[in-house]
Amino acid sequence: KMCSSCFAIPSVTIQLFVTSAALLYGQRVLVQKRAQSTSKWTKRVAFGITVLVSIALSGFGAFLFVLATNDDYRRRGFADFLSAQSAKPKALDEYRCSILERGNVSGRVLEF
């Protein structure tokens, strides 16, 4: 938990933003100048794909930053992830259910 006077940005977020900026810079400056013989549309399509990947990286970095700074979102995200994973039937469900039916189990069970 962070104190109110200190504010730290997680290193993963910084790395994702820097990677996003490096992709855009590399595509725009290095690749565009060296690829003189390629067509105009090829350059535009390549730049468009690079922009989409860069936006995805930046969005994922912002998502991880919000999770790192907000306890409610982190708890809710973890609970949603666990409930989504338990909704799918697994190979061990038939054994687990027979064990739970024979025993006196009440409350919520969390498996790892």
Side-chain angles (χ1 to χ4, degrees):
K1 185 151 177 135
M2 292 188 292
C3 63
S4 60
S5 62
C6 60
F7 185 74
I9 298 175
S11 63
V12 173
T13 302
I14 294 171
Q15 291 170 352
L16 286 171
F17 284 134
V18 169
T19 303
S20 173
L23 271 175
L24 287 175
Y25 175 77
Q27 173 65 29
R28 200 61 166 157
V29 175
L30 302 175
V31 175
Q32 295 286 337
K33 288 183 179 178
R34 292 188 182 186
Q36 298 292 334
S37 62
T38 59
S39 71
K40 186 179 192 180
W41 288 105
T42 305
K43 290 180 185 179
R44 286 185 181 173
V45 168
F47 184 68
I49 291 171
T50 304
V51 166
L52 290 176
V53 170
S54 179
I55 289 172
L57 286 174
S58 297
F60 189 61
F63 171 72
L64 290 178
F65 175 71
V66 168
L67 282 182
T69 57
N70 193 325
D71 289 336
D72 279 343
Y73 287 146
R74 186 172 46 242
R75 286 185 194 121
R76 190 175 350 155
F78 183 69
D80 290 344
F81 173 74
L82 286 181
S83 67
Q85 292 299 317
S86 66
K88 301 173 190 169
K90 305 284 190 290
L92 295 176
D93 278 348
E94 61 187 65
Y95 303 111
R96 182 184 317 113
C97 292
S98 65
I99 291 171
L100 291 177
E101 287 171 1
R102 282 186 267 148
N104 186 11
V105 178
S106 63
R108 295 183 179 183
V109 177
L110 178 63
E111 294 182 27
F112 290 101

